[in-house]
Amino acid sequence: MLAPPADGNDWVNPSFVLQKSGLPEAQKKISEYARSSASQGPWILPPNGDKLDYLSWAPYHWPDCNWCTGPRTHLTTAWTTCKYVTKDGQLNPDVRLLNGVIAIVDVTQSVLWNVVASVLAGTSDTAQTAVQFMQGFFLDDKTGMHPRVAYGQVIRGPGQQVGEFLGVIDLRGMVKIANAIQIMRAAGTSAWTSTLDAQMVAWTQQYVKWLQSSSIGQTALSAPNNHGSFATNQLAAMNILIQNQDDAAAALNAYFKKQFQDQIAASGEQPFEAVRTRPYHYRCFNLEAMITNAKLGDQLGLNFWTTKSKYGATIKDALDFTLRQNPGKEDVSDIFPHVAAIAAAYGDADGKYAAFLKRADDSYLTAPYYYYDQTAALMQAPNAGPKAKGKSVQSENDDREQQRLGQDKVTDSLAPTPTNSNLPFATPTIPWACPAAFATATQVQLDDGVYVTCDELKHLYGYTDKAKNV
């Protein structure tokens, strides 16, 4: 049996889960996924120099030697003797020979599904399964992972092979672990004992310390693009897990006052993501992280939904811009969860988000992401409040939208992606200045061997001869 596809990073309010209300089809799907994913576990780290250290290889690096161009032989020799070159956006399939990346995704997702399923069903068996998976992957003396990512996304080839700051993103699923533990705490799940809680808190405290004190962690947390957004996910969620809400709030405030300010242009474009070879995917990827950061803030009683970049744009503006893009050969489903999240947080007065989901994802009502992305699960969002209880993308718009579903005008999601000669309509209203990431560098690293200069981003912010404010 194949494991179901993992959800993106997300956070669901534990109080909402405990209500067990509405969305029966989505609840049923989560329970199905819990059972299916559990059949694939348990998961442990792949063997390496220290079998308890997480290890992964840089995904977009390829061997550059003439004897590697034929059949896939002599690979182990290539790993240490052959120079590797970057092909941005092109996944080298042999990186999956190490199962660390897949294992961390699968275990974190299965834990969350099984915990949520346990609460929804009022049974303890799936929660017990989730606890066993966490024990094996994180806490067991023989199989538990060290609380660090010192060897993430290693670049192979001659010389010393060490981890990159880019590898921190491999553990973005730790948000789901924190979410699952918060749900079990709120539910009083018997399988999650005080002893296990203390052990996981101790593990997480070490991980937080590593993330904040190591050069790898510090660089990840300061990255201007999706790497910085996802690292903030981890730091905030891990602090929530260890019940240090003040530091969780501080991490989120730092992100929204720093990186976020340069991440969304006046048009809603995300320049640090749009410059990549797969711009639609990376726009959606950073949206995933930004929305999760806003949800974590919401959990802490903070409203980041209305926070604006220095160009006057919110997360909603970034979603709306991406919706107008033609994904081309990229996967349009990357955006589905974000449409539901933005509709839940900001409302859907004209019904465009509901219309898009009904047209583009005929199974959205059964998707786990639809369960997570409900207005009733939010407290600080513009659309939240006493009157919002029970509202959903579906219930808010069904009557008004029913007659519009067959019309082509329900969405403009197939509009062409802007280029230098096809600029977005919205333009900036402040003088141009390079993003803060360039204060001490002429180029900034975005990924494995991928760098960008300030000049290469300028037009994506709307500052060109054709823009109103040059």
Side-chain angles (χ1 to χ4, degrees):
M1 178 186 297
L2 294 176
D7 301 324
N9 250 28
D10 211 334
W11 180 274
V12 58
N13 190 316
S15 297
F16 174 74
V17 177
L18 265 59
Q19 292 173 12
K20 307 180 187 181
S21 59
L23 311 170
E25 294 304 314
Q27 290 188 26
K28 179 180 178 182
K29 184 62 68 174
I30 290 173
S31 295
E32 291 175 359
Y33 282 0
R35 292 191 297 271
S36 179
S37 67
S39 69
Q40 306 296 311
W43 296 270
I44 58 174
L45 293 171
N48 54 75
D50 182 336
K51 67 179 181 179
L52 301 185
D53 253 321
Y54 175 84
L55 171 67
S56 67
W57 289 326
Y60 301 148
H61 275 245
W62 294 72
D64 184 27
C65 46
N66 56 17
W67 48 270
C68 290
T69 57
R72 302 183 68 77
T73 57
H74 310 298
L75 282 179
T76 54
T77 303
W79 295 341
T80 56
T81 62
C82 194
K83 179 183 177 182
Y84 274 67
V85 295
T86 302
K87 298 181 181 180
D88 186 32
Q90 299 182 42
L91 179 69
N92 183 342
D94 77 8
V95 302
R96 296 300 185 242
L97 293 176
L98 286 180
N99 72 337
V101 175
I102 296 173
I104 191 65
V105 169
D106 288 348
V107 70
T108 56
Q109 183 62 78
S110 186
V111 164
L112 181 58
W113 278 336
N114 277 278
V115 167
V116 173
S118 174
V119 173
L120 295 177
T123 59
S124 61
D125 55 336
T126 56
Q128 184 63 54
T129 297
V131 170
Q132 290 172 352
F133 289 163
M134 280 193 284
Q135 285 180 286
F137 202 91
F138 299 107
L139 304 177
D140 188 273
D141 290 340
K142 296 181 179 179
T143 61
M145 171 187 161
H146 289 321
R148 63 191 182 205
V149 195
Y151 302 98
Q153 297 201 17
V154 169
I155 297 174
R156 290 168 286 174
Q160 186 179 11
Q161 298 182 355
V162 295
E164 300 281 316
F165 79 89
L166 305 162
V168 172
I169 203 169
D170 290 1
L171 261 69
R172 60 190 180 277
M174 291 303 297
V175 173
K176 298 175 183 178
I177 295 295
N179 202 174
I181 290 174
Q182 288 297 96
I183 293 170
M184 288 192 291
R185 286 170 172 169
T189 302
S190 59
W192 189 246
T193 66
S194 58
T195 299
L196 288 172
D197 193 81
Q199 290 175 348
M200 195 65 200
V201 165
W203 188 98
T204 305
Q205 287 172 331
Q206 294 180 62
Y207 182 66
V208 167
K209 181 178 180 180
W210 176 86
L211 193 60
Q212 293 183 300
S213 62
S214 69
S215 60
I216 289 176
Q218 290 173 350
T219 305
L221 286 166
S222 64
N225 63 337
N226 64 79
H227 284 278
S229 305
F230 277 109
T232 301
N233 284 180
Q234 288 189 50
L235 183 58
M238 295 295 92
N239 272 303
I240 290 175
L241 190 159
I242 63 177
Q243 300 180 320
N244 192 339
Q245 281 78 9
D246 288 345
D247 282 359
L252 293 168
N253 274 307
Y255 163 77
F256 280 100
K257 289 180 179 179
K258 295 178 181 178
Q259 291 107 311
F260 180 81
Q261 292 301 303
D262 287 315
Q263 286 186 336
I264 311 176
S267 62
E269 176 63 286
Q270 300 175 70
F272 282 102
E273 313 305 330
V275 75
R276 301 294 297 278
T277 58
R278 293 191 294 154
Y280 189 85
H281 164 76
Y282 279 105
R283 290 185 187 108
C284 292
F285 199 41
N286 195 48
L287 271 167
E288 178 182 317
M290 290 192 293
I291 289 170
T292 299
N293 281 332
K295 283 190 173 185
L296 289 165
D298 198 283
Q299 183 71 50
L300 295 169
L302 303 172
N303 176 14
F304 293 114
W305 301 106
T306 56
T307 298
K308 295 181 179 181
S309 71
K310 71 181 183 184
Y311 306 96
T314 66
I315 298 173
K316 178 181 181 296
D317 295 317
L319 183 279
D320 288 344
F321 181 91
T322 306
L323 265 180
R324 294 195 296 270
Q325 310 312 303
N326 182 351
K329 295 182 180 180
E330 298 184 63
D331 190 354
V332 69
S333 69
D334 284 352
I335 205 171
F336 294 168
H338 314 327
V339 174
I342 294 303
Y346 296 88
D348 191 13
D350 60 2
K352 67 178 180 180
Y353 300 133
F356 175 83
L357 287 175
K358 289 173 182 176
R359 173 180 168 176
D361 183 11
D362 58 7
S363 62
Y364 81 95
L365 291 174
T366 68
Y369 76 73
Y370 185 64
Y371 175 77
Y372 308 143
D373 292 325
Q374 294 298 306
T375 304
L378 302 173
M379 299 179 292
Q380 306 299 321
N383 198 41
K387 294 181 179 180
K389 189 173 183 179
K391 287 170 61 178
S392 68
V393 175
Q394 181 190 25
S395 63
E396 186 174 300
N397 297 283
D398 266 353
D399 294 339
R400 176 164 31 83
E401 291 298 311
Q402 192 60 43
Q403 296 180 351
R404 297 172 56 189
L405 293 182
Q407 300 177 17
D408 292 337
K409 65 182 180 180
V410 296
T411 179
D412 58 352
S413 63
L414 297 182
T417 301
T419 64
N420 287 351
S421 60
N422 183 25
L423 291 168
F425 292 111
T427 54
T429 59
I430 60 175
W432 167 247
C434 287
F438 295 99
T440 59
T442 57
Q443 60 179 3
V444 171
Q445 185 175 7
L446 301 181
D447 214 306
D448 303 315
V450 180
Y451 294 82
V452 68
T453 65
C454 177
D455 286 344
E456 290 172 323
L457 295 181
K458 184 177 179 180
H459 74 279
L460 293 168
Y461 285 99
Y463 294 89
T464 74
D465 292 340
K466 294 186 178 182
K468 295 179 181 178
N469 299 279
V470 179

